[in-house]
Every structure is written in C-alpha cells, then in structure tokens.
Amino acid sequence: MTDKKESLLSKKNLKLIKDPLDDNNPITVQVLGICSALAITVQLKPAVVMALSTFFVMCTANVVVSLMRNMIPSRIRIIIQLVVIATLVILVDQILKAFVYDVSKELSVFVGLIITNCIIMGRLEAFALANTPWKSFMDGLGNSLGYALPLIIVAFFRELLGAGTLFGYPIIEKLGLYELGYENNGMMILPPMALVTCGIYIWIQRMRNKKLIEEN
Amino acid sequence: MQDLANIFIKAVFIDNMVFAYFLGMCSYLAVSKTVKTSVGLGLAVVFVLGITVPANFMLENYVLKEGALTWLDDSFLNVDLSFLSFILFIAVIASMVQLVEMIVEKFSPALYSSLGIFLPLIAVNCAILGASLFMQERAYANITEATVFGLGSGVGWFLAIVGIAAIREKIRYSNVPPALRGLGITFIITGLMGIAFMSFMGIKLEDSKNSTDQVVNIEDNETELK
C-alpha cells in the first residue's frame, strides 16, 4: 500500500480533481453523460439539482465499488455496478420527491436516467475498479464537478437568453432591457438549441486548449 | 388501429428519442462514424426496445403499480412498489440484452457477428431505460400500445443515427474550423437536425370521431372570424 504514505491532498490526488474540469472533461472530451446533461439545461435550477444528484451518486458509487473491487467477479461486474448505482439513484429520487417535489416533476425521467448515465458507469469501469476508495472519491468529485461545469454554463445561457431569468428571477426585466426593444430568444428554450449551445461551448474550449483538437 | 399508428408516428418523429429527449446520445455520438456500423447498432436498439418495453409494461402493471398485485390476493390492494421500478427495469433490460445476445448467437451467427459487439453496449444505452420510464409515465392502455411505442422509439433512434452517420461521412471532405472538428460539429449538426424534426410537431392522425369534432371546431372558428 504505497499510497498510504501519500498525503491525502497530494499533487497527484489534486490532479484527479483538476483534470476533469478542462483537459479531460467528461462531457466535452470523454463524451460521457451527454444525454442527461442536455435535456435539463433549459433552466438553472434543475441543472443545479441534477449536478448535485450526480455528484452524490457518483462519489458514493465510486467509493462503494472501490471498496468491493476485490470481491467482484469480472464477468458480472456490469450488473453489480448497475445495482449499486440504481440503489443510490432510488435514494436520490425519493429524497427529491420528498423535499423539492416541483423540481423532481420537472426532471421527470431524467433522475432515473442517472442510472444509465455513462459518466458513472464509465468512471466505475475506468477508475474505481482499480483504485483505492479515497482516490476513487477524488475521481468522483473531480468528474462530477467537470460534469457540472458545462451543465451550469449551458443552462445559464439558455435561461438568460431564452426566458430572461436566472434561477427564476426576471433579471432582464429588472435591468429594463425590454423597454429598449430587447426580445427573448424563444428558440433557446427548444431542445435543439441545447446541442448547439453545447457545440459552441466545445468550440470555445478547444480554441483555448489546442491539444484537444480532433483530427477529423 | 389509428391509435396505434398515431403512437408510432409520434414516437418516431415528434417525440424522437434523440432530438427531443437526447436519449442514447452517448452511443449516438460514439458509433456514428460510418453508416454501416450505425445501421447495426440502430437495428439492435429497435430489437431490444421492442422486447424490453412490453416486458417492463407487464412488470409495471402486474407487479409494481399501486394495486397491481391484486391478481395474487385482494389484501395487496394498497401495496405500491413503484419506487422499485428503476432497479427492476434496469435488471430486466440487462438480462434481456444478455438473453437476446445468447439467442441470436445460437440461432443466427450471421446476425450475431454483425450485431454482436453492440448488444452489450445497449444495456447502458439510456434510450432503452428512457423508453421504459416514458412508458411508465405516460401509462399506455395495453401491451400492444406499449410494444408499438417501443418499436416506434427504436425506429426514431435508428433514423437519427443513420442520418448523422451519413452526414459525418460526407463532412470529412469539408473544411470545418479546427476547433470544431469531430465532436463540436456533430453537436451542432444534431441540433440542426433536431430543428428539422421539430417541423413534424403537431402531426396527428385523427380517428373518425375526433375528425368530425375538428370539422365542427373549424366551423366554429370560421363563425368567430366572421
């Protein structure tokens, strides 16, 4: 156990958190977890709730699977991982239903779809099955932050430009832009614009970070 | 019959899994580089959806829903197991996929070699679980409707992935800005395709009863206009 000697917040561990934010972002680089990410970015509130739920499920699932990693036969690992994730997602779903019912209604099936969010499966497969619990926790933390970042940025622009509000607060109206002839762009609320906004996010990210540019 | 056609058309075009709900995006983006592989994956998805949605429909209506267990004993009238639906649906899907894989391997090696690698991928394709959850949410009346919905969703997904794969094959010869190459442009094209698919919104096949209603409505509107 060499990593016992390593301090808990050593450079290597911090890198596990930093990497997914940009260089190895789960959404824009690893292409994981797109499905849920795009569907709930019409407004900021559901996006934040979704990011928090994913954060909880991902960190816990990473730790649990990492603790069990030596006991799981590799042939049936997928179903075991699914069971672990599904249990956690049921917990999240029940909590959301109990405390923030309106948001849970809005997210509808997408809470359930955290189960098949490839980001979680992907990290379990790629990381938690081969690493110690603490490292897996850091990885889960990093990746869920990396998942939350584009999610919240896209939701910010879609809600601001599409509905003129932020967290439901009518910011454009308060600034008095409507009197100057500003109109909300109703198209931003429609599902296809999530893809285009996300595409532009990727464009900007890759212009800044040249090494992510693809060949084709 | 028209009801079924309506559900089918709605699932294929209007509530398209990819363009309206972003389901199955991960494999949609990963496996859409050539038309041939995307046809394989698309067929596998249609196949699996056509099996899992009715299977989960049975599960929902005879086990999970409140009062669904009354066929066993009247005392189960108040039992509501629907909080278990995620875990049971995913278990059904994972085992169905495994089963389908084994059956196809046994009886049709040719189909297996063309679908083979995609089948395990499908277990974690969100379009499959998503269709089951939508089926639960929309409460279809009977198993035929659920099956038609499953197949329709599959066909919609198939169309989407084959379409994007064809475009991506062509786009290789275009001059895309370097930073937008690959993922970025695929996202934007998918968005544009989504806008195109949105023009199907509002299509509804009327059955005879409703269409007479509609005629009446139009007449009403005309009198209002006058």
Side-chain angles (χ1 to χ4, degrees):
Chain A
M1 297 294 271
T2 48
D3 42 68
K4 271 274 164 63
K5 287 173 215 146
E6 248 179 87
S7 76
L8 286 181
L9 289 171
S10 70
K11 250 199 187 128
K12 220 163 131 201
N13 283 347
L14 278 183
K15 199 171 174 299
L16 288 177
I17 296 189
K18 264 189 226 146
D19 244 15
L21 287 183
D22 191 14
D23 283 2
N24 201 12
N25 189 284
I27 291 188
T28 59
V29 182
Q30 300 177 42
V31 205
L32 295 175
I34 312 268
C35 332
S36 54
L38 294 172
I40 38 94
T41 51
V42 182
Q43 288 173 323
L44 266 173
K45 201 173 164 198
V48 171
V49 173
M50 188 70 182
L52 286 176
S53 323
T54 314
F55 164 74
F56 169 75
V57 174
M58 182 126 90
C59 291
T60 327
N62 257 357
V63 171
V64 171
V65 169
S66 166
L67 283 173
M68 298 197 300
R69 70 184 185 281
N70 296 326
M71 288 183 277
I72 301 177
S74 69
R75 278 187 72 95
I76 53 163
R77 64 180 194 283
I78 295 212
I79 203 147
I80 292 182
Q81 289 162 0
L82 280 176
V83 169
V84 170
I85 300 170
T87 319
L88 291 167
V89 171
I90 291 176
L91 271 179
V92 169
D93 185 45
Q94 298 291 319
I95 291 172
L96 285 183
K97 269 192 189 136
F99 292 105
V100 276
Y101 187 72
D102 50 328
V103 180
S104 123
K105 260 267 109 35
E106 211 166 317
L107 291 173
S108 76
V109 300
F110 289 99
V111 178
L113 288 175
I114 298 178
I115 299 173
T116 47
N117 192 332
C118 4
I119 218 176
I120 297 175
M121 279 298 278
R123 290 327 289 173
L124 289 181
E125 279 279 295
F127 201 91
L129 275 179
N131 284 285
T132 51
W134 175 251
K135 274 192 173 168
S136 309
F137 176 75
M138 297 293 261
D139 183 71
L141 189 66
N143 274 291
S144 47
L145 288 177
Y147 172 78
L149 186 72
L151 203 68
I152 288 171
I153 292 177
V154 171
F156 175 84
F157 282 110
R158 282 185 77 194
E159 189 177 351
L160 184 66
L161 299 177
T165 56
L166 285 177
F167 285 108
Y169 181 80
I171 188 148
I172 302 272
E173 198 189 320
K174 293 280 182 259
L175 286 174
L177 287 178
Y178 287 130
E179 278 109 77
L180 300 175
Y182 176 84
E183 291 264 357
N184 283 332
N185 184 352
M187 203 156 166
M188 293 301 280
I189 303 178
L190 303 177
M193 286 313 280
L195 287 158
V196 176
T197 318
C198 203
I200 294 169
Y201 178 88
I202 293 171
W203 191 2
I204 294 169
Q205 192 200 14
R206 290 186 182 186
M207 280 200 313
R208 280 180 45 245
N209 199 338
K210 297 276 191 233
K211 64 175 179 260
L212 296 178
I213 291 176
E214 285 172 55
E215 279 299 303
N216 195 330
Chain B
M1 198 55 215
Q2 231 155 359
D3 262 2
L4 293 182
N6 207 351
I7 289 174
F8 187 79
I9 300 280
K10 201 159 177 281
V12 175
F13 293 112
I14 303 163
D15 290 341
N16 188 288
M17 279 287 165
V18 174
F19 299 125
Y21 297 105
F22 310 109
L23 295 177
M25 284 296 280
C26 311
S27 29
Y28 169 85
L29 291 169
V31 196
S32 62
K33 288 203 172 111
T34 59
V35 171
K36 214 177 151 202
T37 44
S38 62
V39 168
L41 183 66
L43 285 179
V45 166
V46 176
F47 195 50
V48 173
L49 270 175
I51 295 172
T52 54
V53 173
N56 282 336
F57 179 84
M58 302 283 277
L59 197 64
E60 160 81 4
N61 281 289
Y62 292 104
V63 183
L64 294 173
K65 223 163 59 177
E66 188 173 3
L69 280 171
T70 38
W71 58 275
L72 271 180
D73 193 288
D74 279 341
S75 59
F76 288 129
L77 189 64
N78 292 320
V79 179
D80 182 3
L81 291 176
S82 51
F83 66 93
L84 281 176
S85 51
F86 294 160
I87 204 164
L88 286 178
F89 284 179
I90 197 73
V92 166
I93 289 167
S95 47
M96 277 294 170
V97 169
Q98 200 94 55
L99 202 69
V100 167
E101 195 184 343
M102 289 190 307
I103 293 173
V104 173
E105 189 181 10
K106 182 100 174 62
F107 291 106
S108 171
L111 184 65
Y112 180 74
S113 58
S114 62
L115 291 186
I117 42 166
F118 299 119
L119 282 170
L121 258 182
I122 287 174
V124 285
N125 185 332
C126 11
I128 313 286
L129 181 64
S132 287
L133 293 177
F134 278 127
M135 174 273 298
Q136 185 186 31
E137 200 179 82
R138 292 177 193 157
Y140 286 107
N142 54 47
I143 192 159
T144 334
E145 281 187 23
T147 318
V148 169
F149 168 71
L151 287 173
S153 308
V155 172
W157 201 86
F158 175 85
L159 280 182
I161 194 170
V162 174
I164 193 78
I167 295 177
R168 281 182 86 171
E169 276 192 354
K170 291 287 172 222
I171 215 157
R172 233 170 270 159
Y173 308 109
S174 332
N175 190 11
V176 181
L180 207 53
R181 274 181 204 154
L183 192 58
I185 194 75
T186 314
F187 264 88
I188 292 178
I189 292 173
T190 311
L192 296 179
M193 286 171 77
I195 295 176
F197 260 70
M198 281 181 72
S199 56
F200 289 114
M201 223 171 247
I203 290 182
K204 200 161 181 255
L205 301 178
E206 300 285 343
D207 55 28
S208 52
K209 211 169 29 180
N210 289 346
S211 59
T212 51
D213 284 354
Q214 206 185 20
V215 171
V216 174
N217 278 335
I218 292 168
E219 282 166 357
D220 282 353
N221 286 341
E222 278 170 354
T223 47
E224 269 170 36
L225 284 174
K226 277 168 199 164

Coordinates of all heavy atoms in Angstrom, one line a residue, chain B residues 170-224:
Chain B
K170 N -19.9 12.5 -45.0 CA -19.7 13.5 -46.1 C -18.8 14.6 -45.5 O -18.0 15.2 -46.2 CB -21.0 14.1 -46.5 CG -21.8 13.1 -47.3 CD -21.3 12.9 -48.7 CE -22.0 11.8 -49.4 NZ -21.1 10.9 -50.2
I171 N -19.0 14.9 -44.2 CA -18.4 16.1 -43.7 C -16.9 16.0 -43.6 O -16.2 17.0 -43.5 CB -19.0 16.5 -42.3 CG1 -19.1 18.0 -42.2 CG2 -18.2 15.9 -41.2 CD1 -20.1 18.4 -41.2
R172 N -16.4 14.8 -43.7 CA -15.0 14.6 -43.7 C -14.3 15.4 -44.9 O -13.1 15.7 -44.8 CB -14.7 13.1 -43.9 CG -13.8 12.6 -42.8 CD -13.7 11.1 -42.9 NE -14.7 10.5 -42.1 CZ -15.2 9.2 -42.3 NH1 -14.7 8.5 -43.3 NH2 -16.1 8.7 -41.5
Y173 N -15.0 15.7 -45.9 CA -14.4 16.3 -47.1 C -14.6 17.8 -47.0 O -14.3 18.6 -47.9 CB -15.0 15.8 -48.4 CG -14.9 14.3 -48.4 CD1 -16.1 13.5 -48.3 CD2 -13.7 13.7 -48.6 CE1 -16.0 12.2 -48.4 CE2 -13.6 12.3 -48.6 CZ -14.8 11.6 -48.5 OH -14.7 10.2 -48.5
S174 N -15.2 18.3 -45.9 CA -15.4 19.8 -45.8 C -14.4 20.4 -44.9 O -13.7 19.8 -44.2 CB -16.8 20.1 -45.2 OG -17.7 19.0 -45.5
N175 N -14.3 21.7 -45.1 CA -13.4 22.5 -44.3 C -14.0 23.0 -43.0 O -14.5 24.1 -43.0 CB -12.8 23.6 -45.2 CG -11.6 24.3 -44.6 OD1 -11.1 23.8 -43.6 ND2 -11.3 25.4 -45.1
V176 N -13.9 22.2 -42.0 CA -14.5 22.6 -40.7 C -13.4 23.3 -39.9 O -12.3 22.9 -40.0 CB -15.0 21.4 -40.0 CG1 -15.6 21.8 -38.6 CG2 -16.0 20.6 -40.8
P177 N -13.8 24.4 -39.2 CA -12.8 25.1 -38.3 C -12.1 24.0 -37.4 O -12.9 23.2 -36.8 CB -13.6 26.1 -37.5 CG -14.8 26.3 -38.3 CD -15.1 25.1 -39.1
P178 N -10.8 24.1 -37.2 CA -10.1 23.0 -36.5 C -10.7 22.7 -35.1 O -10.9 21.6 -34.7 CB -8.7 23.6 -36.3 CG -8.6 24.6 -37.3 CD -9.9 25.1 -37.7
A179 N -11.1 23.8 -34.4 CA -11.5 23.6 -33.0 C -12.9 22.9 -33.0 O -13.3 22.4 -32.0 CB -11.6 24.9 -32.3
L180 N -13.6 23.0 -34.1 CA -15.0 22.5 -34.2 C -15.0 21.1 -34.7 O -16.0 20.4 -34.6 CB -15.8 23.4 -35.1 CG -17.3 23.5 -34.8 CD1 -17.6 23.9 -33.4 CD2 -17.9 24.6 -35.7
R181 N -13.9 20.6 -35.2 CA -13.9 19.3 -35.8 C -14.3 18.2 -34.8 O -14.0 18.3 -33.6 CB -12.5 19.0 -36.3 CG -12.3 19.5 -37.7 CD -10.9 19.2 -38.3 NE -10.7 20.2 -39.3 CZ -9.5 20.6 -39.6 NH1 -8.4 20.1 -39.0 NH2 -9.3 21.5 -40.5
G182 N -14.9 17.1 -35.4 CA -15.2 16.0 -34.5 C -16.5 16.2 -33.7 O -17.6 16.4 -34.3
L183 N -16.3 16.3 -32.4 CA -17.4 16.4 -31.5 C -18.3 17.7 -31.7 O -19.5 17.7 -31.8 CB -16.9 16.4 -30.1 CG -18.0 16.1 -29.0 CD1 -18.7 14.9 -29.3 CD2 -17.3 16.1 -27.7
G184 N -17.6 18.8 -31.8 CA -18.3 20.1 -31.9 C -19.3 20.2 -33.0 O -20.4 20.5 -32.9
I185 N -18.8 19.8 -34.2 CA -19.6 20.0 -35.4 C -20.8 18.9 -35.3 O -21.9 19.2 -35.8 CB -18.8 19.8 -36.7 CG1 -19.6 20.3 -37.9 CG2 -18.3 18.5 -36.9 CD1 -19.7 21.8 -38.0
T186 N -20.5 17.8 -34.8 CA -21.5 16.8 -34.6 C -22.7 17.3 -33.8 O -23.8 17.1 -34.1 CB -21.0 15.5 -34.0 OG1 -19.7 15.2 -34.7 CG2 -21.9 14.3 -34.2
F187 N -22.3 17.9 -32.7 CA -23.3 18.5 -31.8 C -24.2 19.5 -32.6 O -25.4 19.5 -32.5 CB -22.6 19.3 -30.7 CG -22.5 18.5 -29.4 CD1 -21.4 17.7 -29.2 CD2 -23.5 18.5 -28.5 CE1 -21.3 17.0 -28.1 CE2 -23.4 17.8 -27.3 CZ -22.3 17.0 -27.1
I188 N -23.5 20.4 -33.3 CA -24.3 21.5 -34.0 C -25.2 20.9 -35.1 O -26.3 21.2 -35.2 CB -23.3 22.5 -34.5 CG1 -22.7 23.2 -33.3 CG2 -24.0 23.5 -35.4 CD1 -21.7 24.3 -33.6
I189 N -24.6 19.9 -35.8 CA -25.5 19.2 -36.8 C -26.7 18.5 -36.2 O -27.8 18.6 -36.7 CB -24.6 18.2 -37.7 CG1 -23.6 19.0 -38.5 CG2 -25.5 17.4 -38.6 CD1 -22.6 18.1 -39.1
T190 N -26.4 17.9 -35.1 CA -27.5 17.2 -34.4 C -28.6 18.3 -34.0 O -29.8 18.0 -34.2 CB -27.1 16.5 -33.2 OG1 -25.9 15.7 -33.5 CG2 -28.1 15.6 -32.6
G191 N -28.1 19.4 -33.6 CA -29.1 20.5 -33.2 C -29.9 20.9 -34.4 O -31.1 21.0 -34.3
L192 N -29.2 21.0 -35.6 CA -29.9 21.4 -36.8 C -30.9 20.4 -37.2 O -32.1 20.7 -37.6 CB -28.9 21.8 -37.9 CG -28.0 22.9 -37.6 CD1 -27.0 23.1 -38.8 CD2 -28.8 24.2 -37.4
M193 N -30.5 19.1 -37.1 CA -31.4 18.0 -37.5 C -32.6 18.0 -36.5 O -33.7 17.8 -36.9 CB -30.7 16.7 -37.4 CG -29.8 16.4 -38.5 SD -28.8 14.9 -38.2 CE -30.0 13.6 -38.5
G194 N -32.3 18.4 -35.3 CA -33.4 18.4 -34.3 C -34.4 19.5 -34.7 O -35.6 19.3 -34.6
I195 N -33.9 20.7 -35.2 CA -34.8 21.7 -35.6 C -35.7 21.2 -36.8 O -36.9 21.5 -36.8 CB -34.0 23.0 -35.9 CG1 -33.4 23.5 -34.7 CG2 -35.0 24.0 -36.5 CD1 -32.5 24.7 -34.9
A196 N -35.0 20.5 -37.7 CA -35.8 20.0 -38.8 C -36.9 19.0 -38.3 O -38.0 19.1 -38.8 CB -34.8 19.2 -39.8
F197 N -36.5 18.1 -37.4 CA -37.5 17.2 -36.9 C -38.7 17.9 -36.1 O -39.7 17.4 -36.0 CB -36.8 16.2 -35.9 CG -36.5 14.9 -36.6 CD1 -35.5 14.8 -37.5 CD2 -37.2 13.7 -36.3 CE1 -35.2 13.6 -38.2 CE2 -36.9 12.5 -36.9 CZ -35.9 12.5 -37.8
M198 N -38.4 19.1 -35.6 CA -39.4 19.8 -34.9 C -40.6 20.2 -35.8 O -41.7 20.5 -35.3 CB -38.9 21.0 -34.2 CG -38.1 20.7 -32.9 SD -37.5 22.1 -32.2 CE -39.0 22.8 -31.6
S199 N -40.3 20.2 -37.1 CA -41.4 20.6 -38.0 C -42.5 19.6 -38.1 O -43.5 19.8 -38.6 CB -40.8 20.9 -39.4 OG -40.1 19.8 -39.8
F200 N -42.1 18.4 -37.5 CA -43.2 17.3 -37.5 C -44.2 17.6 -36.4 O -45.2 16.9 -36.3 CB -42.6 15.9 -37.3 CG -41.8 15.5 -38.5 CD1 -40.4 15.3 -38.4 CD2 -42.5 15.1 -39.6 CE1 -39.7 14.8 -39.5 CE2 -41.8 14.7 -40.7 CZ -40.4 14.5 -40.7
M201 N -43.8 18.5 -35.5 CA -44.7 18.7 -34.4 C -46.1 19.1 -34.8 O -46.3 19.8 -35.8 CB -44.1 19.9 -33.6 CG -44.1 19.6 -32.1 SD -43.2 20.9 -31.3 CE -41.8 20.0 -30.7
G202 N -47.1 18.6 -34.1 CA -48.4 18.9 -34.5 C -49.1 17.9 -35.4 O -50.3 18.0 -35.6
I203 N -48.3 17.0 -36.0 CA -48.9 16.0 -36.8 C -49.7 15.1 -36.0 O -49.3 14.6 -34.9 CB -47.8 15.1 -37.5 CG1 -47.1 16.0 -38.6 CG2 -48.5 13.9 -38.2 CD1 -46.1 15.2 -39.3
K204 N -51.0 14.9 -36.3 CA -51.8 13.9 -35.5 C -52.7 13.2 -36.5 O -53.4 13.9 -37.3 CB -52.6 14.7 -34.5 CG -53.0 13.8 -33.4 CD -53.4 14.6 -32.1 CE -53.8 13.6 -31.0 NZ -55.2 13.6 -30.8
L205 N -52.7 11.9 -36.4 CA -53.6 11.2 -37.2 C -54.9 11.1 -36.4 O -55.0 10.6 -35.3 CB -53.1 9.7 -37.5 CG -51.8 9.7 -38.2 CD1 -51.4 8.2 -38.3 CD2 -51.9 10.3 -39.5
E206 N -56.0 11.6 -37.0 CA -57.3 11.7 -36.3 C -58.1 10.4 -36.6 O -58.1 9.9 -37.7 CB -58.1 12.9 -36.8 CG -57.4 14.2 -36.6 CD -57.4 14.6 -35.1 OE1 -58.2 14.1 -34.4 OE2 -56.6 15.5 -34.8
D207 N -58.8 9.9 -35.6 CA -59.7 8.9 -35.9 C -61.0 9.6 -36.2 O -61.2 10.8 -36.0 CB -59.8 7.8 -34.8 CG -60.2 8.5 -33.4 OD1 -60.8 9.5 -33.4 OD2 -59.8 7.9 -32.4
S208 N -62.0 8.8 -36.8 CA -63.2 9.4 -37.4 C -63.9 10.3 -36.4 O -64.4 11.3 -36.8 CB -64.1 8.3 -37.9 OG -64.3 7.3 -36.9
K209 N -64.0 9.8 -35.1 CA -64.8 10.5 -34.2 C -64.2 11.9 -34.0 O -64.9 12.9 -34.0 CB -64.7 9.7 -32.8 CG -66.0 9.9 -32.0 CD -66.0 8.9 -30.9 CE -64.7 8.5 -30.4 NZ -64.5 7.6 -29.3
N210 N -62.9 12.0 -33.7 CA -62.3 13.3 -33.5 C -62.3 14.2 -34.7 O -62.4 15.4 -34.5 CB -60.8 13.1 -33.0 CG -60.8 12.5 -31.6 OD1 -61.8 12.5 -30.9 ND2 -59.6 12.0 -31.2
S211 N -62.2 13.5 -35.9 CA -62.1 14.4 -37.0 C -63.4 15.2 -37.2 O -63.4 16.3 -37.7 CB -61.7 13.6 -38.3 OG -62.6 12.6 -38.5
T212 N -64.5 14.5 -36.9 CA -65.8 15.3 -37.0 C -65.8 16.4 -36.0 O -66.2 17.5 -36.3 CB -67.0 14.4 -36.7 OG1 -66.8 13.7 -35.5 CG2 -67.2 13.4 -37.9
D213 N -65.2 16.2 -34.8 CA -65.1 17.2 -33.9 C -64.3 18.4 -34.4 O -64.6 19.6 -34.3 CB -64.3 16.7 -32.6 CG -65.2 15.9 -31.7 OD1 -66.4 15.8 -32.1 OD2 -64.7 15.3 -30.8
Q214 N -63.2 18.0 -35.2 CA -62.4 19.0 -35.7 C -63.1 19.9 -36.7 O -63.0 21.1 -36.7 CB -61.1 18.4 -36.4 CG -60.0 19.3 -36.4 CD -58.8 18.7 -37.1 OE1 -59.0 17.8 -37.9 NE2 -57.6 19.2 -36.9
V215 N -63.9 19.2 -37.6 CA -64.7 20.0 -38.5 C -65.6 21.0 -37.8 O -65.6 22.1 -38.2 CB -65.5 19.0 -39.4 CG1 -66.5 19.8 -40.3 CG2 -64.6 18.1 -40.2
V216 N -66.2 20.5 -36.8 CA -67.1 21.4 -36.0 C -66.2 22.6 -35.5 O -66.6 23.7 -35.6 CB -67.7 20.7 -34.8 CG1 -68.5 21.6 -34.0 CG2 -68.6 19.6 -35.3
N217 N -65.0 22.3 -35.0 CA -64.2 23.3 -34.5 C -63.8 24.4 -35.5 O -63.9 25.6 -35.3 CB -62.8 22.7 -33.9 CG -63.0 22.2 -32.5 OD1 -64.0 22.7 -31.8 ND2 -62.2 21.3 -32.1
I218 N -63.5 23.8 -36.7 CA -63.1 24.8 -37.8 C -64.3 25.7 -38.1 O -64.2 26.9 -38.3 CB -62.7 24.0 -39.1 CG1 -61.4 23.3 -38.8 CG2 -62.6 24.9 -40.2 CD1 -61.0 22.3 -39.8
E219 N -65.5 25.0 -38.2 CA -66.7 25.8 -38.4 C -66.9 26.9 -37.4 O -67.1 28.1 -37.7 CB -68.0 25.0 -38.5 CG -68.1 24.2 -39.9 CD -69.1 23.1 -39.8 OE1 -69.7 22.9 -38.8 OE2 -69.3 22.5 -40.9
D220 N -66.6 26.5 -36.1 CA -66.7 27.5 -35.0 C -65.8 28.6 -35.3 O -66.2 29.8 -35.2 CB -66.4 26.8 -33.7 CG -67.5 26.0 -33.2 OD1 -68.6 26.1 -33.8 OD2 -67.3 25.3 -32.2
N221 N -64.5 28.3 -35.6 CA -63.5 29.3 -35.8 C -64.0 30.3 -36.9 O -63.8 31.5 -36.8 CB -62.2 28.7 -36.2 CG -61.5 28.1 -35.0 OD1 -61.9 28.4 -33.9 ND2 -60.6 27.2 -35.3
E222 N -64.6 29.6 -38.0 CA -65.0 30.5 -39.1 C -66.0 31.5 -38.7 O -66.0 32.7 -39.0 CB -65.5 29.6 -40.3 CG -64.3 29.1 -41.1 CD -64.7 28.1 -42.1 OE1 -65.9 27.7 -42.1 OE2 -63.9 27.7 -42.9
T223 N -67.0 30.9 -37.9 CA -68.1 31.9 -37.5 C -67.5 33.0 -36.6 O -67.9 34.1 -36.7 CB -69.2 31.1 -36.7 OG1 -68.5 30.3 -35.8 CG2 -70.1 30.3 -37.6
E224 N -66.5 32.6 -35.8 CA -65.8 33.6 -34.9 C -65.1 34.6 -35.8 O -65.2 35.8 -35.5 CB -64.8 32.9 -34.0 CG -65.4 32.5 -32.7 CD -64.4 31.7 -31.9 OE1 -63.2 31.9 -32.0 OE2 -64.8 30.7 -31.2

